[in-house]
Amino acid sequence: MKNIQYFILLIVPLFVIGCTTDFETINENPNSPESVSPEFLLTNVIVSEIEEHTYNQGLLLNNYMAQFVASVEFERIDRYELGGNSGYWNLIYGLLADLESMKSLDGYNDAYDGVAIIMRSYLYSQLTDLWGDIPYNEAVKFGELNFTPIYDTQESIYTDSETGILAQLEKAVSKLQNTSESISGDVMFNNNLEKWIRFANSLQVRYHLRISKRTTDFSKLQALADSAWLMQSNEDNAVLPYLSSAPNQFPLFNAALGIYQELRMSTQVESILKTWDDPRIAVFYKPTSASVSAGIAEFKGLANGQSRETIRTNNIDLNDISLLSDQFRTVADGVDAQIMLYSEIQFALAEAVEQGFITGDAESYYQQGIQAHFEYCNTEIPSDYFTRAAIALNGTKEENLEKILTQKWLSLFMIGHEAWFNIRRTGIPALTPGPDNLNNNQYPSRYLYPESEQAANKENYEAAVARIGGNNINVKSWWEN
């Protein structure tokens, strides 16, 4: 893990407004800078996104959707009551506005521009993967003062040859490879442009797999796999360590006890990790308090999607259900804020080979992905791990893909909604809605558009809703079909 010495949220005043035109000296505020360096906005964008992505979106939302955890009472998302997630929508568009504002600041250069394009592409991918069609090409265009942007299709957002996410990431890589300029304020990669290039290329791998049902041309994915410019190890992870001191501690460390006690190990993850006989079970969870008291220290899960009444009727003893491990609760700096891990890319390449999208050694990629995740978890991999029947990549294509994608699923614990995106695309692992789900036994595919869009951008909102097939949580994205 990188030794980052700061993890701060900056609130930057962008404009200083005077009251007269004749008394410039009187109106000067020595404590308020008249110009802002782009480094401050870059820091704000990275920190704001990575913390929200990890804690609220990853731990408190996705981890229920992906069935890493199960709720005992209050987290209705575990029963598929999703709502609009409007806070994240608003945050992302605010951060996109910050990236747009950077362009007009003194000190902005090609290096900042390349990094800004990467972050912009990543943020838009979050929006479209969570909601579908979204304002894209006409969004946050300050000079045009367009407050009612059209919604672009998810297909064009990803694949347009000029403005699409994949094309923009290629543009960013080229720009960073050909600039001699530098940046400051990068708390994720410590201003290392080579790491930004690796991150951008690794995002392309992620997105080529994302849209793999909708394309037959994987030549660019093959070129990326063959290049030396993907993430190469855990040293390239897109993470930011939490710190031991306030205000940069992992939020669950200071959260109410009730929030922590909602986060119970699911029977889904219990079954998989016990089948694998995997020591990472103790990385994410801890033995039940009842079993520890009895001197036997066992891990036990809770089925997802149950109401409190069902849990009570079934006489489930919550003291005999595992909670998250201490690194999430009692250690302020026990985890990282995360956007992407090296292991994800190795699993993605293993899948691509097994699917026949590219050539290469699927087993090698697969084993490197597992090894990398064990290393990231600071856990020793058992010497016989790769020869175990439940792990070895020696079956049919379908069997191998299930193993690759299930290992990838585990590696995406708390990494935003990435595990949910992969489940929606692949159906692996196969998740069953809980008995008290509120979605007619369907696995949801999106959040609702925020209500503010219905009021402020009604015409374009209605056009988008008609095009995608309705504003409900079961409408599948373009890349899912």
Side-chain angles (χ1 to χ4, degrees), residues 114-384:
V115 169
I117 292 170
I118 295 168
M119 285 304 299
R120 187 179 301 115
S121 300
Y122 161 74
L123 289 169
Y124 273 121
S125 78
Q126 289 286 293
L127 286 166
T128 189
D129 291 342
L130 290 168
W131 285 278
D133 293 1
I134 55 162
Y136 181 65
N137 281 311
E138 293 186 0
V140 294
K141 302 296 185 185
F142 295 157
E144 300 173 12
L145 296 178
N146 182 2
F147 299 109
T148 56
I150 65 168
Y151 285 58
D152 295 86
T153 66
Q154 187 174 76
E155 179 178 9
S156 67
I157 290 167
Y158 269 116
T159 66
D160 186 275
S161 61
E162 295 293 331
T163 63
I165 287 173
L166 287 165
Q168 287 292 299
L169 288 170
E170 291 178 14
K171 175 183 176 181
V173 167
S174 177
K175 182 163 289 197
L176 293 180
Q177 287 176 331
N178 290 286
T179 185
S180 59
E181 295 173 310
S182 61
I183 62 172
S184 298
D186 167 22
V187 294
M188 186 162 67
F189 293 127
N190 200 26
N191 306 311
N192 186 326
L193 296 185
E194 287 193 0
K195 289 185 181 292
W196 278 101
I197 292 170
R198 295 186 188 282
F199 177 47
N201 284 332
S202 298
L203 284 174
Q204 289 180 67
V205 171
R206 174 189 278 183
Y207 302 144
H208 278 296
L209 267 292
R210 183 87 86 241
I211 67 171
S212 59
K213 288 183 177 180
R214 289 291 197 163
T215 185
T216 57
D217 182 0
F218 295 100
S219 58
K220 289 186 176 181
L221 180 58
Q222 182 73 67
L224 288 164
D226 293 340
S227 77
W229 283 100
L230 296 175
M231 289 180 171
Q232 297 295 300
S233 72
N234 284 320
E235 291 300 309
D236 295 327
N237 288 342
V239 301
L240 184 59
Y242 285 98
L243 303 181
S244 60
S245 58
N248 305 318
Q249 300 162 319
F250 183 53
L252 192 62
F253 175 76
N254 295 305
L257 180 62
I259 294 176
Y260 173 64
Q261 290 181 333
E262 281 289 305
L263 296 159
R264 302 300 177 122
M265 180 185 193
S266 73
T267 52
Q268 177 74 26
V269 76
E270 176 196 8
S271 173
I272 289 171
L273 289 174
K274 286 183 175 179
T275 297
W276 292 348
D277 191 18
D278 198 305
R280 287 174 293 181
I281 195 170
V283 172
F284 296 111
Y285 310 97
K286 62 183 181 181
T288 72
S289 58
S291 68
V292 170
S293 297
I296 51 176
E298 294 181 335
F299 296 91
K300 294 183 181 179
L302 177 71
N304 287 88
Q306 298 183 87
S307 68
R308 183 72 175 185
E309 291 71 25
T310 298
I311 292 172
R312 185 182 300 111
T313 299
N314 292 336
N315 295 316
I316 296 172
D317 180 6
L318 295 180
N319 289 319
D320 205 25
I321 301 293
S322 293
L323 289 158
L324 292 181
S325 67
D326 286 343
Q327 71 169 339
F328 296 97
R329 178 59 178 175
T330 64
V331 184
D333 58 349
V335 299
D336 295 334
Q338 309 164 347
I339 290 179
M340 175 181 276
L341 301 181
Y342 162 66
S343 54
E344 176 190 338
I345 302 309
Q346 295 303 295
F347 291 130
L349 294 175
E351 178 195 349
V353 173
E354 195 66 32
Q355 291 278 22
F357 300 157
I358 63 173
T359 59
D361 188 338
E363 184 175 39
S364 176
Y365 286 133
Y366 171 67
Q367 292 187 2
Q368 288 177 54
I370 293 172
Q371 184 70 52
H373 194 250
F374 267 88
E375 290 174 358
Y376 182 72
C377 293
N378 295 314
T379 301
E380 184 176 354
I381 191 167
S383 59
D384 68 336

Side-chain angles (χ1 to χ4, degrees), residues 26-180:
I26 294 175
N27 282 316
E28 287 178 2
N29 180 354
N31 298 313
S32 182
E34 294 187 7
S35 63
V36 177
S37 169
E39 67 184 271
F40 297 112
L41 283 183
L42 178 60
T43 302
N44 185 62
V45 169
I46 293 171
V47 171
S48 298
E49 167 56 21
I50 199 168
E51 182 165 21
E52 173 69 19
H53 182 260
T54 301
Y55 183 66
N56 288 323
Q57 303 301 314
L59 182 65
L60 299 184
L61 295 178
N62 169 79
N63 275 18
Y64 289 109
M65 299 291 293
Q67 295 191 3
F68 292 126
V69 295
S71 172
V72 300
E73 183 171 12
F74 297 111
E75 299 298 342
R76 289 170 71 88
I77 191 170
D78 191 34
R79 296 167 62 190
Y80 303 154
E81 185 176 87
L82 269 63
N85 200 1
S86 59
Y88 195 36
W89 172 286
N90 294 334
L91 173 68
I92 292 178
Y93 276 111
L95 297 179
L96 289 166
D98 281 352
L99 293 172
E100 190 71 15
S101 297
M102 282 174 58
K103 296 178 180 179
S104 63
L105 300 180
D106 292 340
Y108 192 77
N109 57 38
D110 277 352
Y112 278 114
D113 195 49
V115 169
I117 292 170
I118 295 168
M119 285 304 299
R120 187 179 301 115
S121 300
Y122 161 74
L123 289 169
Y124 273 121
S125 78
Q126 289 286 293
L127 286 166
T128 189
D129 291 342
L130 290 168
W131 285 278
D133 293 1
I134 55 162
Y136 181 65
N137 281 311
E138 293 186 0
V140 294
K141 302 296 185 185
F142 295 157
E144 300 173 12
L145 296 178
N146 182 2
F147 299 109
T148 56
I150 65 168
Y151 285 58
D152 295 86
T153 66
Q154 187 174 76
E155 179 178 9
S156 67
I157 290 167
Y158 269 116
T159 66
D160 186 275
S161 61
E162 295 293 331
T163 63
I165 287 173
L166 287 165
Q168 287 292 299
L169 288 170
E170 291 178 14
K171 175 183 176 181
V173 167
S174 177
K175 182 163 289 197
L176 293 180
Q177 287 176 331
N178 290 286
T179 185
S180 59

Side-chain angles (χ1 to χ4, degrees), residues 380-392:
E380 184 176 354
I381 191 167
S383 59
D384 68 336
Y385 193 80
F386 292 122
T387 62
R388 296 175 182 177
I391 305 298

